Amino acid sequence: MSTLSAKIFIDTHRTIADISPLLFGGFVEHMGRCVYEGIYDPDSPLSDSNGLRTDVMDALREQSYTVMRYPGGNFLSGYNWLDGVGPKADRPRRRELAWQSIETNQFGTNEFIDFCRAINTAPMLGVNMGTGTIESAGNLVEYCNAPTGTYWADLRASHGYRDPHGVEYWCVGNEMDGPWQIGHLEAEAYGLKALEAAKMMKWQDPSIKTVLCGSSNDRMPTYPEWDRTALEIAWEKVDYHSIHYYAQNHENDTASYLALPIDLENYVDTVAATLRYAKAKRRSQHDVYLSWDEWQVWYKDRSGRGNWSEAPHLSEEIYNLEDALLVAQWLNVFLRKSDVLKVACVAQVVNIISWLHTRKDGLLKQVSFYPFQLMSNLAKGKALDLLVQSPRHETARYGDVHHLDVSASYDEASGSQALFVVNRSQTDAVQTELVWQGGAPAQVTETWQLSGTDPKAANSWEQPNLLTAKKVVNPSIQDGKIALSLPPLSFTAISLA
Ligand code: AHR
């Protein structure tokens, strides 16, 4: 192992944008064991009287989720929300087509709202644009948000919820560009349906924010034309435009995999440019921002067929150190793109494609749990535009890339700062100098590090704490500078005041 040097120049006047708190969101889908045996499991000794898993909720609270998307996902496009409300004994068992599973409907909209309240997160509901109608979309907004006195709001009250839920964020469908989607539509047809649905939804409650479906990923043959078409049609009635992305390392090329943020940033830049184009074409004063409402590493276990069973074990992905370092960099991208990216939801929060796995009697935190936990709690205020001088290494897919991937935040009100650095070199430690241009902070409040020598190392039920973020000794500030030692394959989070 060799040691190289780097410098990071920090100037709190050079800001990118406010960091939207909604960048630290999650996603709960009726898929596999996310809902049943994940957040809701009346048979577990670890559940409360509502059947909600207390250990899962504690872990989600540790991660400080700000928003939670529900109920899908591909599930959404075949879902009749009426199946999931009212007395549980009357709710139908259904064959669920997206994941070929049995849906018992014992958990639905109201239970989800209770769950969100319990973990102090804002609900983000989806309306079905596959088999669903614009009428059913409007009805769900009335059911959730209207005061009592009319049919759907009174139905909610009769189900035990007299006060409106006040759901602010609404996805108008899910991945409607994908041929795999139940009721998939071409871009123009979707744009027109989404426009009419969003109109009805906003007439029900003008305060809501709506999310248009964008491309499911940047490899879709219809990308980015889908985005342009749908945006131009629905522009004035939507507030966010969604993008989705699942990262893969099928080639088992760690260096290229860890440089993937290059593609992630290009993806954001292209869709951001499409937003600007659509706004100009519409001669609009209205702004639409990005909602990255599905993101995660997903390639080792792509199982998606439940063989008509309840809560099947689907896509219970095992995460290793390289995955955690990618997650940390993904969050860095969120901060660096905070001018256009305002919502993000990791897919998903437990069991399915998730860093949390449950058993009836326990919970496993996989290694990628920790970067999210640290960044969601420490990144506050505005994102900073940094100057990074870093050593470089060669990758097969991207050529020459920086060893270091960095983001930072500055909260003017409290005077606190935070810096997040990934050293993605597999061989080189990097002695890094943090240099403040203007006033340096007075003290380091905490420093955390996650590192290892084997990119494939992972936590397991047998070794649950093999890889965790550890509090390390705070470096001292001298002459407005800090010297940080960054091991290869590491993530460091440092907060200052
Ligand atoms: O999160 C799993 C699935 O991935 C979602 O249902 C779908 O939207 C995406 O393709």
Side-chain angles (χ1 to χ4, degrees):
M1 180 173 87
S2 56
T3 302
L4 303 174
S5 56
K7 280 189 179 181
I8 300 172
F9 296 91
I10 304 160
D11 180 346
T12 53
H13 296 103
R14 287 178 59 93
T15 57
I16 299 170
D18 285 335
I19 299 166
S20 164
L22 303 179
L23 291 179
F24 300 102
F27 173 41
V28 169
E29 176 167 8
H30 284 256
M31 175 183 180
R33 298 193 311 126
C34 183
V35 171
Y36 306 107
E37 298 186 15
I39 61 177
Y40 177 77
D41 191 355
D43 296 337
S44 166
L46 296 170
S47 295
D48 67 14
S49 55
N50 294 320
L52 296 173
R53 281 283 293 245
T54 54
D55 54 341
V56 173
M57 289 195 293
D58 285 344
L60 301 179
R61 286 187 199 104
E62 278 178 61
Q63 293 191 296
S64 299
Y65 284 99
T66 48
V67 67
M68 200 61 70
R69 181 172 178 254
Y70 172 87
N74 297 342
F75 170 84
L76 174 66
S77 299
Y79 183 52
N80 180 351
W81 63 266
L82 280 166
D83 287 350
V85 295
K88 289 191 177 182
D90 299 344
R91 296 186 195 175
R93 270 172 75 83
R94 298 256 189 226
R95 282 161 73 91
E96 195 288 294
L97 296 184
W99 305 115
Q100 314 249 305
S101 307
I102 296 297
E103 174 55 55
T104 63
N105 284 304
Q106 294 304 292
F107 188 96
T109 302
N110 295 315
E111 288 80 21
F112 176 70
I113 299 288
D114 288 341
F115 160 74
C116 287
R117 302 291 178 245
I119 62 163
N120 193 26
T121 192
M124 180 193 227
L125 293 183
V127 295
N128 176 350
M129 289 288 101
T131 59
T133 61
I134 62 171
E135 185 184 21
S136 68
N139 293 345
L140 180 57
V141 177
E142 179 186 330
Y143 179 89
C144 288
N145 286 7
T148 51
T150 52
Y151 181 80
W152 295 106
D154 286 350
L155 185 65
R156 179 194 70 235
S158 76
H159 294 156
Y161 296 84
R162 184 159 188 84
D163 292 337
H165 293 320
V167 178
E168 187 174 359
Y169 303 101
W170 292 85
C171 298
V172 188
N174 174 73
E175 291 189 352
M176 294 301 293
D177 63 321
W180 59 85
Q181 200 67 213
I182 298 170
H184 153 73
L185 294 170
E186 297 300 320
E188 189 178 344
Y190 168 67
L192 291 167
K193 185 169 181 183
L195 173 68
E196 296 307 316
K199 257 165 57 181
M200 284 188 74
M201 293 162 73
K202 289 194 170 203
W203 283 340
Q204 284 286 3
D205 181 352
S207 73
I208 66 169
K209 306 275 185 247
T210 52
V211 187
L212 190 69
C213 292
S215 289
S216 297
N217 59 67
D218 64 351
R219 299 176 301 278
M220 294 296 293
T222 47
Y223 166 79
E225 188 58 15
W226 164 277
D227 303 75
R228 183 194 66 75
T229 306
L231 278 165
E232 278 185 29
I233 295 169
W235 184 267
E236 296 295 338
K237 295 292 169 203
V238 296
D239 303 284
Y240 301 99
H241 182 71
S242 79
I243 54 175
H244 291 177
Y245 195 99
Y246 290 97
Q248 305 171 353
N249 185 14
H250 286 298
E251 302 80 18
N252 194 19
D253 171 358
T254 297
S256 295
Y257 180 58
L258 290 179
L260 186 79
I262 293 169
D263 281 349
L264 303 179
E265 286 189 285
N266 284 337
Y267 186 22
V268 172
D269 288 345
T270 302
V271 188
T274 310
L275 293 178
R276 292 184 74 95
Y277 176 89
K279 180 177 177 179
K281 179 108 184 261
R282 292 288 308 237
R283 308 287 188 266
S284 176
Q285 297 302 311
H286 174 66
D287 278 310
V288 176
Y289 294 98
L290 289 185
S291 171
W292 202 326
D293 44 40
E294 286 185 32
W295 69 270
Q296 183 53 293
V297 174
W298 185 18
Y299 69 101
K300 299 175 198 108
D301 180 354
R302 294 288 302 205
S303 54
R305 288 180 173 269
N307 298 318
W308 308 115
S309 60
E310 291 177 27
H313 285 249
L314 303 180
S315 293
E316 304 208 355
E317 196 85 352
I318 305 296
Y319 292 121
N320 57 31
L321 178 61
E322 67 180 15
D323 299 326
L325 296 178
L326 182 67
V327 163
Q329 293 182 75
W330 213 321
L331 297 164
N332 280 346
V333 170
F334 291 173
L335 263 56
R336 295 198 293 262
K337 297 293 171 190
S338 54
D339 55 337
V340 65
L341 189 61
K342 300 295 178 188
V343 182
C345 304
V346 67
Q348 300 184 11
V349 297
V350 61
N351 287 333
I352 281 281
I353 333 171
S354 176
W355 44 59
L356 286 182
H357 283 184
T358 60
R359 290 198 304 214
K360 275 273 174 276
D361 57 351
L363 179 70
L364 174 67
K365 289 176 182 164
Q366 303 203 66
V367 55
S368 47
F369 174 91
Y370 297 98
F372 188 98
Q373 182 206 6
L374 286 168
M375 291 188 69
S376 68
N377 284 301
L378 296 177
K380 303 273 179 259
K382 292 183 190 297
L384 295 180
D385 185 13
L386 306 165
L387 175 63
V388 180
Q389 293 175 342
S390 163
R392 306 172 78 98
H393 60 273
E394 206 36 47
T395 63
R397 205 185 308 158
Y398 303 99
D400 214 16
V401 303
H402 280 158
H403 280 24
L404 302 188
D405 183 272
V406 193
S407 74
S409 66
Y410 171 55
D411 183 28
E412 197 172 5
S414 65
S416 65
Q417 301 182 29
L419 191 88
F420 309 100
V421 195
V422 173
N423 178 5
R424 53 193 175 189
S425 166
Q426 295 174 71
T427 50
D428 303 330
V430 181
Q431 194 59 33
T432 304
E433 195 173 53
L434 309 183
V435 184
W436 273 267
Q437 301 178 302
Q443 55 165 350
V444 178
T445 41
E446 46 188 299
T447 311
W448 295 84
Q449 210 156 57
L450 167 64
S451 67
T453 49
D454 177 5
K456 306 296 183 191
N459 293 342
S460 60
W461 289 101
E462 294 70 37
Q463 285 188 290
N465 297 316
L466 186 68
L467 289 162
T468 60
K470 296 191 176 57
K471 219 169 186 169
V472 296
V473 176
N474 288 332
S476 57
I477 306 178
Q478 282 175 346
D479 301 329
K481 295 177 188 165
I482 285 181
L484 267 187
S485 295
L486 306 176
L489 294 175
S490 66
F491 168 61
T492 303
I494 174 164
S495 79
L496 314 108

